[in-house]
Amino acid sequence: MMPRWNWETVNFWPQMLFAFAGLELVSAMSDEIRDAQRTLARAIWGSGILIAAMYIAGTFAVLSIMQAAPVDPKSGVYQALAIGSETLKMD
């Protein structure tokens, strides 16, 4: 179960940690939040829905540009951007 150091996946870790950025600021702004129980619950649900929608839209965009089989999990967005820019003659 221990993670293994692998140079092929080293760019994944900062991206995963970046997804959690901002949660530590809740305690810093706790004096400014009115009705924290209601407000934070709404914020968590709202951000969760928006994040899921953005991931679904991004996946749909990548898969609308290229087939699913050649998509590299680490750089699929960049592959789709390269194909899209070639198609639009934006090299």
Side-chain angles (χ1 to χ4, degrees):
M1 295 299 286
M2 292 297 295
R4 191 175 51 137
W5 182 259
N6 185 351
W7 282 107
E8 294 178 1
T9 60
V10 74
N11 69 340
F12 169 73
W13 295 103
Q15 294 172 7
M16 185 177 73
L17 295 175
F18 181 70
F20 294 109
L23 290 177
E24 72 278 0
L25 297 176
V26 171
S27 62
M29 61 182 182
S30 62
D31 289 342
E32 300 174 16
I33 299 175
R34 295 186 193 131
D35 193 11
Q37 187 172 5
R38 181 174 162 253
T39 303
L40 289 177
R42 289 176 59 198
I44 291 169
W45 279 104
S47 64
I49 291 168
L50 285 174
I51 290 168
M54 285 188 282
Y55 272 103
I56 291 168
T59 302
F60 179 75
V62 168
L63 293 178
S64 66
I65 291 176
M66 58 188 300
Q67 296 293 322
V71 175
D72 183 15
K74 295 178 288 194
S75 61
V77 172
Y78 300 112
Q79 287 177 315
L81 287 172
I83 292 171
S85 64
E86 283 179 19
T87 303
L88 296 174
K89 309 280 190 249
M90 296 173 57
D91 295 336

Coordinates of all heavy atoms in Angstrom, one line a residue:
M1 N 0.8 -1.2 0.0 CA 0.0 0.0 0.0 C 0.9 1.3 0.0 O 0.3 2.3 -0.2 CB -0.9 0.0 1.2 CG -2.0 -1.1 1.2 SD -3.1 -1.0 -0.2 CE -4.1 0.4 0.2
M2 N 2.2 1.1 0.2 CA 3.0 2.3 0.2 C 3.2 2.8 -1.2 O 3.4 2.0 -2.1 CB 4.4 2.0 0.8 CG 4.3 1.7 2.3 SD 3.8 3.1 3.3 CE 5.1 4.2 3.0
P3 N 3.2 4.1 -1.4 CA 3.4 4.6 -2.8 C 4.9 4.4 -3.2 O 5.8 4.4 -2.4 CB 3.2 6.1 -2.6 CG 3.2 6.4 -1.2 CD 2.9 5.2 -0.5
R4 N 5.1 4.2 -4.5 CA 6.4 3.9 -5.0 C 6.8 5.1 -5.8 O 6.0 5.6 -6.6 CB 6.3 2.6 -5.9 CG 7.6 2.1 -6.3 CD 7.4 0.8 -7.0 NE 6.4 1.0 -8.1 CZ 6.5 0.5 -9.3 NH1 7.5 -0.2 -9.6 NH2 5.6 0.8 -10.2
W5 N 8.1 5.5 -5.6 CA 8.6 6.6 -6.4 C 8.7 6.2 -7.9 O 9.3 5.2 -8.2 CB 9.9 7.1 -5.9 CG 10.4 8.3 -6.6 CD1 11.4 8.3 -7.5 CD2 10.0 9.6 -6.5 NE1 11.6 9.5 -8.0 CE2 10.7 10.4 -7.4 CE3 9.0 10.3 -5.7 CZ2 10.5 11.8 -7.5 CZ3 8.8 11.6 -5.8 CH2 9.6 12.4 -6.7
N6 N 8.1 7.0 -8.7 CA 8.2 6.7 -10.2 C 8.2 8.0 -10.9 O 7.3 8.9 -10.7 CB 6.9 5.9 -10.5 CG 6.9 5.5 -12.0 OD1 7.8 5.9 -12.8 ND2 5.9 4.7 -12.3
W7 N 9.2 8.3 -11.7 CA 9.4 9.5 -12.4 C 8.3 9.8 -13.4 O 8.0 10.9 -13.8 CB 10.7 9.6 -13.1 CG 11.9 9.9 -12.2 CD1 12.8 9.0 -11.8 CD2 12.1 11.1 -11.6 NE1 13.7 9.6 -10.9 CE2 13.3 10.9 -10.8 CE3 11.6 12.4 -11.6 CZ2 13.8 11.9 -10.0 CZ3 12.1 13.4 -10.8 CH2 13.2 13.2 -10.1
E8 N 7.6 8.7 -13.9 CA 6.5 8.9 -14.8 C 5.2 9.5 -14.2 O 4.4 10.1 -14.9 CB 6.1 7.6 -15.5 CG 7.2 7.0 -16.3 CD 6.9 5.7 -16.9 OE1 5.8 5.2 -16.7 OE2 7.7 5.1 -17.6
T9 N 5.1 9.4 -12.9 CA 3.9 9.9 -12.2 C 4.2 11.0 -11.3 O 3.4 11.5 -10.5 CB 3.2 8.8 -11.4 OG1 4.1 8.3 -10.4 CG2 2.7 7.7 -12.3
V10 N 5.4 11.6 -11.3 CA 5.8 12.6 -10.4 C 5.0 13.9 -10.6 O 4.7 14.6 -9.7 CB 7.3 12.9 -10.5 CG1 7.7 13.7 -11.7 CG2 7.8 13.6 -9.2
N11 N 4.5 14.2 -11.8 CA 3.7 15.4 -12.0 C 2.3 15.2 -11.5 O 1.5 16.2 -11.4 CB 3.7 15.7 -13.5 CG 2.9 14.7 -14.3 OD1 2.7 13.6 -13.9 ND2 2.5 15.1 -15.5
F12 N 1.9 14.0 -11.2 CA 0.5 13.8 -10.6 C 0.4 14.3 -9.2 O -0.7 14.8 -8.9 CB 0.2 12.3 -10.7 CG -1.0 11.9 -9.9 CD1 -2.3 12.2 -10.4 CD2 -0.9 11.2 -8.7 CE1 -3.4 11.9 -9.8 CE2 -2.1 10.9 -8.0 CZ -3.3 11.2 -8.6
W13 N 1.4 14.2 -8.4 CA 1.3 14.6 -7.0 C 1.0 16.1 -6.8 O 0.1 16.4 -6.0 CB 2.6 14.1 -6.2 CG 2.6 12.6 -6.2 CD1 3.5 11.8 -7.0 CD2 1.8 11.7 -5.5 NE1 3.2 10.5 -6.8 CE2 2.2 10.4 -5.9 CE3 0.8 11.9 -4.6 CZ2 1.6 9.3 -5.3 CZ3 0.2 10.7 -4.0 CH2 0.6 9.5 -4.4
P14 N 1.7 17.0 -7.4 CA 1.4 18.4 -7.2 C -0.1 18.7 -7.6 O -0.7 19.5 -7.0 CB 2.4 19.2 -8.0 CG 3.4 18.2 -8.4 CD 2.9 16.9 -8.2
Q15 N -0.5 18.1 -8.7 CA -1.9 18.3 -9.2 C -2.9 17.8 -8.2 O -3.9 18.5 -8.0 CB -2.1 17.6 -10.5 CG -1.2 18.2 -11.6 CD -1.3 17.4 -12.9 OE1 -2.1 16.4 -13.0 NE2 -0.5 17.7 -13.9
M16 N -2.6 16.7 -7.6 CA -3.5 16.2 -6.6 C -3.6 17.1 -5.3 O -4.6 17.4 -4.8 CB -3.2 14.8 -6.2 CG -4.1 14.1 -5.2 SD -3.7 12.4 -4.8 CE -2.3 12.7 -3.8
L17 N -2.4 17.5 -4.9 CA -2.3 18.4 -3.7 C -3.0 19.8 -4.0 O -3.5 20.4 -3.2 CB -0.9 18.6 -3.3 CG -0.3 17.3 -2.8 CD1 1.2 17.5 -2.5 CD2 -1.0 16.8 -1.6
F18 N -2.8 20.3 -5.3 CA -3.4 21.5 -5.6 C -5.0 21.5 -5.5 O -5.6 22.5 -5.2 CB -3.0 21.9 -7.1 CG -3.6 23.2 -7.5 CD1 -3.1 24.4 -7.0 CD2 -4.6 23.3 -8.5 CE1 -3.6 25.6 -7.4 CE2 -5.1 24.5 -8.9 CZ -4.6 25.7 -8.4
A19 N -5.5 20.3 -5.7 CA -7.0 20.2 -5.6 C -7.5 20.4 -4.2 O -8.6 20.8 -4.0 CB -7.4 18.8 -6.0
F20 N -6.6 20.3 -3.2 CA -7.0 20.5 -1.8 C -6.7 21.9 -1.3 O -6.9 22.3 -0.2 CB -6.3 19.5 -0.9 CG -6.8 18.1 -1.1 CD1 -6.0 17.2 -1.7 CD2 -8.1 17.7 -0.8 CE1 -6.4 15.9 -1.9 CE2 -8.5 16.5 -1.0 CZ -7.7 15.5 -1.6
A21 N -6.1 22.8 -2.2 CA -5.7 24.1 -1.8 C -6.9 25.0 -1.4 O -8.0 24.9 -2.1 CB -5.0 24.8 -2.9
G22 N -6.8 25.7 -0.3 CA -7.9 26.6 0.1 C -8.6 26.1 1.3 O -9.2 26.9 2.0
L23 N -8.6 24.8 1.6 CA -9.3 24.3 2.8 C -8.7 24.9 4.1 O -9.4 25.0 5.1 CB -9.3 22.8 2.8 CG -10.2 22.1 1.8 CD1 -10.0 20.6 1.9 CD2 -11.6 22.5 2.0
E24 N -7.4 25.1 4.1 CA -6.7 25.6 5.3 C -7.2 27.1 5.6 O -6.9 27.6 6.7 CB -5.2 25.6 5.2 CG -4.6 26.5 4.2 CD -4.7 26.1 2.7 OE1 -5.2 25.0 2.4 OE2 -4.2 26.9 1.9
L25 N -7.7 27.8 4.6 CA -8.1 29.2 4.8 C -9.4 29.3 5.6 O -9.8 30.4 6.0 CB -8.2 29.9 3.5 CG -6.9 30.0 2.7 CD1 -7.2 30.6 1.3 CD2 -5.9 30.8 3.5
V26 N -10.2 28.2 5.8 CA -11.4 28.3 6.5 C -11.2 28.8 7.9 O -12.0 29.6 8.4 CB -12.1 26.9 6.5 CG1 -13.3 26.9 7.4 CG2 -12.6 26.6 5.1
S27 N -10.2 28.3 8.6 CA -9.9 28.7 9.9 C -9.5 30.2 10.0 O -9.8 30.9 11.0 CB -8.9 27.8 10.6 OG -7.7 27.9 9.9
A28 N -8.8 30.7 9.0 CA -8.3 32.1 9.0 C -9.5 33.0 8.8 O -9.4 34.2 9.3 CB -7.3 32.3 7.9
M29 N -10.5 32.7 8.1 CA -11.6 33.6 7.9 C -12.9 33.2 8.7 O -14.0 33.6 8.4 CB -12.0 33.6 6.4 CG -12.4 32.3 5.8 SD -12.7 32.5 4.1 CE -13.3 30.9 3.6
S30 N -12.7 32.4 9.8 CA -13.8 32.0 10.6 C -14.6 33.1 11.2 O -15.8 33.0 11.5 CB -13.4 30.9 11.6 OG -12.4 31.5 12.5
D31 N -13.9 34.2 11.6 CA -14.5 35.3 12.2 C -15.5 36.1 11.2 O -16.4 36.7 11.6 CB -13.5 36.4 12.7 CG -12.8 35.8 13.9 OD1 -13.3 34.9 14.6 OD2 -11.7 36.4 14.2
E32 N -15.2 35.9 9.9 CA -16.0 36.7 8.9 C -17.2 35.9 8.4 O -18.1 36.5 7.8 CB -15.1 37.0 7.8 CG -13.9 37.9 8.1 CD -13.0 38.1 7.0 OE1 -13.4 37.8 5.8 OE2 -11.8 38.5 7.3
I33 N -17.3 34.6 8.8 CA -18.4 33.8 8.3 C -19.6 33.9 9.2 O -19.5 33.7 10.4 CB -18.0 32.3 8.1 CG1 -16.8 32.2 7.2 CG2 -19.1 31.5 7.7 CD1 -16.3 30.8 7.1
R34 N -20.7 34.3 8.6 CA -22.0 34.3 9.4 C -22.7 33.0 9.2 O -22.8 32.5 8.1 CB -22.8 35.5 9.0 CG -22.2 36.8 9.2 CD -23.2 37.9 8.9 NE -22.5 39.2 8.9 CZ -22.5 40.1 7.9 NH1 -23.3 39.8 6.9 NH2 -21.8 41.2 8.0
D35 N -23.2 32.4 10.2 CA -23.9 31.1 10.2 C -23.0 30.1 9.5 O -23.4 29.6 8.4 CB -25.3 31.3 9.5 CG -26.1 30.1 9.7 OD1 -25.8 29.2 10.5 OD2 -27.2 30.0 9.0
A36 N -21.9 29.8 10.1 CA -20.9 28.9 9.5 C -21.4 27.6 9.1 O -21.0 27.0 8.1 CB -19.7 28.8 10.4
Q37 N -22.2 27.0 10.0 CA -22.7 25.6 9.7 C -23.5 25.6 8.4 O -23.3 24.7 7.5 CB -23.6 25.2 10.8 CG -24.0 23.7 10.7 CD -24.7 23.2 11.9 OE1 -25.0 24.0 12.9 NE2 -25.0 22.0 12.0
R38 N -24.3 26.6 8.1 CA -25.1 26.6 6.9 C -24.3 27.1 5.7 O -24.3 26.5 4.6 CB -26.3 27.6 7.1 CG -27.2 27.7 5.9 CD -28.4 28.6 6.2 NE -29.0 29.0 5.0 CZ -28.9 30.3 4.5 NH1 -28.3 31.2 5.2 NH2 -29.5 30.6 3.4
T39 N -23.5 28.1 5.9 CA -22.7 28.6 4.8 C -21.6 27.6 4.3 O -21.5 27.5 3.1 CB -22.0 29.9 5.3 OG1 -23.0 30.8 5.7 CG2 -21.2 30.6 4.2
L40 N -20.9 27.0 5.2 CA -19.9 26.1 4.8 C -20.5 24.8 4.1 O -19.9 24.3 3.2 CB -19.0 25.7 5.9 CG -18.0 26.8 6.4 CD1 -17.2 26.3 7.6 CD2 -17.1 27.2 5.3
A41 N -21.6 24.4 4.6 CA -22.2 23.2 4.0 C -22.7 23.5 2.6 O -22.4 22.7 1.7 CB -23.4 22.8 4.9
R42 N -23.2 24.7 2.4 CA -23.6 25.1 1.0 C -22.4 25.3 0.1 O -22.5 24.9 -1.0 CB -24.4 26.4 1.1 CG -25.8 26.2 1.7 CD -26.5 27.6 1.8 NE -26.7 28.2 0.5 CZ -27.0 29.5 0.3 NH1 -27.1 30.2 1.4 NH2 -27.1 30.0 -0.9
A43 N -21.3 25.8 0.7 CA -20.1 26.0 -0.1 C -19.5 24.7 -0.5 O -19.0 24.6 -1.7 CB -19.1 26.9 0.7
I44 N -19.5 23.8 0.4 CA -18.9 22.4 0.1 C -19.7 21.7 -1.0 O -19.2 21.2 -2.0 CB -18.8 21.6 1.4 CG1 -17.7 22.2 2.3 CG2 -18.5 20.1 1.0 CD1 -17.7 21.6 3.6
W45 N -21.0 21.7 -0.8 CA -21.9 21.1 -1.9 C -21.8 21.8 -3.2 O -21.7 21.2 -4.2 CB -23.4 21.1 -1.4 CG -23.6 20.0 -0.5 CD1 -23.8 20.0 0.9 CD2 -23.8 18.6 -0.8 NE1 -24.0 18.8 1.4 CE2 -24.0 17.9 0.4 CE3 -23.7 17.9 -2.0 CZ2 -24.2 16.5 0.4 CZ3 -23.9 16.5 -1.9 CH2 -24.1 15.8 -0.7
G46 N -21.8 23.1 -3.2 CA -21.7 23.9 -4.4 C -20.4 23.7 -5.1 O -20.4 23.5 -6.3
S47 N -19.3 23.7 -4.4 CA -18.0 23.6 -5.0 C -17.9 22.1 -5.5 O -17.3 21.9 -6.6 CB -16.9 23.9 -4.1 OG -16.9 23.1 -3.0
G48 N -18.4 21.2 -4.8 CA -18.3 19.8 -5.2 C -19.1 19.6 -6.5 O -18.6 18.9 -7.5
I49 N -20.2 20.1 -6.7 CA -21.0 20.0 -7.9 C -20.3 20.7 -9.0 O -20.2 20.2 -10.2 CB -22.4 20.6 -7.7 CG1 -23.2 19.6 -6.7 CG2 -23.2 20.7 -9.0 CD1 -24.5 20.2 -6.2
L50 N -19.8 21.9 -8.8 CA -19.1 22.6 -9.9 C -17.8 21.9 -10.3 O -17.5 21.8 -11.5 CB -18.7 24.0 -9.4 CG -19.9 25.0 -9.4 CD1 -19.5 26.3 -8.7 CD2 -20.4 25.2 -10.8
I51 N -17.1 21.4 -9.4 CA -15.8 20.6 -9.7 C -16.2 19.4 -10.5 O -15.5 19.1 -11.6 CB -15.1 20.2 -8.4 CG1 -14.4 21.5 -7.8 CG2 -14.0 19.2 -8.7 CD1 -13.9 21.3 -6.4
A52 N -17.2 18.6 -10.1 CA -17.6 17.5 -10.9 C -18.1 17.9 -12.3 O -17.7 17.2 -13.3 CB -18.8 16.7 -10.2
A53 N -18.8 19.0 -12.4 CA -19.3 19.4 -13.7 C -18.1 19.8 -14.6 O -18.1 19.5 -15.8 CB -20.2 20.6 -13.6
M54 N -17.1 20.5 -14.0 CA -15.9 20.9 -14.8 C -15.1 19.6 -15.3 O -14.7 19.6 -16.4 CB -15.0 21.8 -14.0 CG -15.6 23.2 -13.9 SD -14.4 24.4 -13.2 CE -14.6 24.0 -11.4
Y55 N -15.0 18.6 -14.4 CA -14.3 17.4 -14.8 C -15.1 16.7 -15.9 O -14.5 16.2 -16.9 CB -14.1 16.5 -13.6 CG -12.8 16.8 -12.9 CD1 -12.8 17.4 -11.7 CD2 -11.6 16.4 -13.4 CE1 -11.6 17.7 -11.0 CE2 -10.4 16.6 -12.7 CZ -10.4 17.3 -11.5 OH -9.3 17.6 -10.9
I56 N -16.4 16.6 -15.8 CA -17.2 16.0 -16.8 C -17.1 16.7 -18.1 O -17.0 16.1 -19.2 CB -18.7 15.8 -16.3 CG1 -18.7 14.8 -15.2 CG2 -19.6 15.4 -17.4 CD1 -20.0 14.8 -14.4
A57 N -17.2 18.1 -18.1 CA -17.1 18.9 -19.3 C -15.7 18.7 -20.0 O -15.6 18.6 -21.2 CB -17.4 20.3 -19.0
G58 N -14.7 18.7 -19.1 CA -13.3 18.5 -19.7 C -13.2 17.2 -20.3 O -12.6 17.1 -21.4
T59 N -13.7 16.1 -19.7 CA -13.6 14.8 -20.3 C -14.4 14.7 -21.6 O -13.9 14.1 -22.5 CB -14.1 13.7 -19.3 OG1 -13.4 13.8 -18.1 CG2 -14.0 12.3 -19.8
F60 N -15.6 15.3 -21.6 CA -16.4 15.3 -22.8 C -15.6 16.1 -23.9 O -15.7 15.6 -25.1 CB -17.7 16.0 -22.5 CG -18.6 16.1 -23.7 CD1 -19.3 14.9 -24.2 CD2 -18.8 17.3 -24.4 CE1 -20.1 15.0 -25.3 CE2 -19.6 17.4 -25.5 CZ -20.2 16.2 -26.0
A61 N -15.0 17.2 -23.6 CA -14.3 18.0 -24.6 C -13.1 17.2 -25.2 O -12.9 17.1 -26.4 CB -13.8 19.3 -24.0
V62 N -12.3 16.5 -24.3 CA -11.2 15.7 -24.8 C -11.7 14.5 -25.7 O -11.2 14.3 -26.8 CB -10.4 15.1 -23.6 CG1 -9.4 14.1 -24.1 CG2 -9.6 16.3 -22.9
L63 N -12.8 13.8 -25.2 CA -13.3 12.7 -26.0 C -14.0 13.1 -27.2 O -14.2 12.3 -28.1 CB -14.2 11.8 -25.1 CG -13.4 11.1 -24.0 CD1 -14.4 10.3 -23.1 CD2 -12.3 10.2 -24.5
S64 N -14.4 14.4 -27.3 CA -15.1 14.8 -28.6 C -14.0 15.2 -29.6 O -14.3 15.2 -30.8 CB -16.0 16.0 -28.3 OG -15.2 17.1 -27.9
I65 N -12.8 15.4 -29.2 CA -11.7 15.7 -30.2 C -11.0 14.5 -30.6 O -10.6 14.4 -31.7 CB -10.7 16.7 -29.5 CG1 -11.4 18.1 -29.4 CG2 -9.5 16.9 -30.3 CD1 -10.6 19.1 -28.7
M66 N -10.8 13.5 -29.7 CA -10.0 12.3 -30.1 C -10.7 11.1 -29.5 O -11.6 11.1 -28.6 CB -8.6 12.4 -29.5 CG -8.5 12.6 -28.1 SD -6.8 13.0 -27.5 CE -5.9 11.6 -28.0
Q67 N -10.3 9.9 -30.0 CA -10.9 8.6 -29.6 C -10.4 8.3 -28.2 O -9.3 8.8 -27.7 CB -10.4 7.5 -30.5 CG -11.0 7.7 -31.9 CD -12.5 7.5 -32.0 OE1 -13.0 6.7 -31.3 NE2 -13.1 8.3 -32.8
A68 N -11.1 7.5 -27.5 CA -10.7 7.2 -26.1 C -9.5 6.3 -25.9 O -8.7 6.4 -25.0 CB -11.9 6.5 -25.4
A69 N -9.2 5.4 -26.9 CA -8.1 4.5 -26.8 C -6.7 5.2 -26.7 O -5.9 4.8 -25.9 CB -8.1 3.5 -27.9
P70 N -6.4 6.1 -27.5 CA -5.1 6.7 -27.5 C -4.9 7.8 -26.4 O -3.8 8.4 -26.3 CB -4.9 7.3 -28.9 CG -6.2 7.7 -29.3 CD -7.1 6.6 -28.7
V71 N -5.9 8.1 -25.6 CA -5.7 9.2 -24.6 C -4.8 8.7 -23.5 O -5.0 7.7 -22.9 CB -7.1 9.5 -24.0 CG1 -6.9 10.5 -22.9 CG2 -8.0 10.1 -25.1
D72 N -3.7 9.5 -23.3 CA -2.8 9.2 -22.2 C -3.3 9.8 -20.9 O -3.7 11.0 -20.9 CB -1.4 9.8 -22.6 CG -0.4 9.5 -21.5 OD1 -0.6 8.5 -20.7 OD2 0.7 10.1 -21.6
P73 N -3.4 9.0 -19.8 CA -4.0 9.6 -18.6 C -3.2 10.7 -18.0 O -3.8 11.6 -17.4 CB -3.9 8.4 -17.6 CG -3.8 7.2 -18.5 CD -3.1 7.6 -19.7
K74 N -1.9 10.8 -18.3 CA -1.1 11.9 -17.8 C -1.1 13.2 -18.6 O -0.9 14.3 -18.1 CB 0.4 11.5 -17.6 CG 0.5 10.3 -16.6 CD 2.0 9.9 -16.6 CE 2.3 9.2 -17.8 NZ 3.5 8.4 -17.8
S75 N -1.4 13.0 -19.9 CA -1.3 14.2 -20.8 C -2.4 14.2 -21.9 O -2.2 14.7 -23.0 CB 0.1 14.3 -21.5 OG 0.3 13.1 -22.3
G76 N -3.6 13.7 -21.5 CA -4.7 13.6 -22.5 C -5.2 15.0 -22.9 O -5.5 15.2 -24.1
V77 N -5.2 16.0 -22.0 CA -5.6 17.3 -22.3 C -4.7 17.9 -23.4 O -5.1 18.6 -24.3 CB -5.7 18.2 -21.1 CG1 -6.0 19.6 -21.5 CG2 -6.8 17.7 -20.2
Y78 N -3.4 17.7 -23.2 CA -2.4 18.3 -24.1 C -2.4 17.6 -25.5 O -2.2 18.2 -26.5 CB -1.0 18.2 -23.5 CG -0.9 18.9 -22.2 CD1 -0.7 18.3 -21.0 CD2 -1.0 20.3 -22.2 CE1 -0.6 19.0 -19.8 CE2 -1.0 21.0 -21.0 CZ -0.8 20.4 -19.8 OH -0.7 21.0 -18.6
Q79 N -2.7 16.3 -25.5 CA -2.9 15.6 -26.7 C -4.1 16.2 -27.5 O -4.0 16.4 -28.7 CB -3.2 14.1 -26.5 CG -2.0 13.3 -26.1 CD -2.4 11.9 -25.8 OE1 -3.4 11.6 -25.1 NE2 -1.6 10.9 -26.3
A80 N -5.2 16.4 -26.8 CA -6.4 17.0 -27.4 C -6.1 18.4 -27.9 O -6.6 18.8 -29.0 CB -7.6 17.0 -26.4
L81 N -5.4 19.2 -27.1 CA -5.0 20.5 -27.6 C -4.2 20.5 -28.8 O -4.3 21.3 -29.8 CB -4.3 21.3 -26.5 CG -5.1 21.8 -25.3 CD1 -4.2 22.3 -24.2 CD2 -6.1 22.8 -25.7
A82 N -3.2 19.6 -28.9 CA -2.4 19.4 -30.1 C -3.2 19.1 -31.3 O -3.0 19.6 -32.4 CB -1.3 18.4 -29.8
I83 N -4.1 18.1 -31.2 CA -5.0 17.7 -32.3 C -5.9 18.8 -32.7 O -6.1 19.1 -33.9 CB -5.8 16.4 -31.9 CG1 -4.8 15.2 -31.8 CG2 -6.9 16.1 -32.9 CD1 -5.5 14.0 -31.2
G84 N -6.5 19.5 -31.7 CA -7.4 20.6 -32.0 C -6.6 21.8 -32.7 O -7.1 22.3 -33.7
S85 N -5.4 22.1 -32.3 CA -4.7 23.2 -32.9 C -4.2 22.8 -34.3 O -4.2 23.6 -35.2 CB -3.5 23.6 -32.1 OG -2.6 22.5 -32.0
E86 N -3.9 21.5 -34.5 CA -3.6 21.0 -35.9 C -4.8 21.1 -36.8 O -4.7 21.6 -38.0 CB -3.1 19.6 -35.9 CG -1.7 19.4 -35.4 CD -1.2 18.0 -35.4 OE1 -1.9 17.1 -36.1 OE2 -0.3 17.6 -34.7
T87 N -5.9 20.7 -36.3 CA -7.2 20.8 -37.1 C -7.5 22.2 -37.5 O -8.0 22.5 -38.6 CB -8.3 20.1 -36.3 OG1 -8.0 18.8 -35.9 CG2 -9.6 20.1 -37.1
L88 N -7.3 23.1 -36.6 CA -7.7 24.5 -36.8 C -6.5 25.3 -37.5 O -6.6 26.5 -37.6 CB -8.1 25.2 -35.5 CG -9.4 24.6 -34.9 CD1 -9.6 25.3 -33.5 CD2 -10.6 24.9 -35.8
K89 N -5.5 24.6 -37.8 CA -4.3 25.2 -38.4 C -3.7 26.3 -37.6 O -3.4 27.4 -38.0 CB -4.6 25.8 -39.8 CG -5.3 24.8 -40.7 CD -4.3 23.9 -41.4 CE -5.0 23.1 -42.5 NZ -5.2 21.7 -42.2
M90 N -3.5 26.0 -36.3 CA -3.0 27.0 -35.3 C -1.6 26.6 -34.8 O -1.2 26.8 -33.7 CB -3.9 27.1 -34.1 CG -5.3 27.7 -34.5 SD -6.4 27.7 -33.1 CE -5.6 28.6 -31.9
D91 N -0.9 25.9 -35.7 CA 0.5 25.4 -35.3 C 1.4 26.5 -34.9 O 1.8 27.4 -35.2 CB 1.1 24.5 -36.4 CG 0.2 23.3 -36.6 OD1 -0.5 22.9 -35.7 OD2 0.3 22.7 -37.7

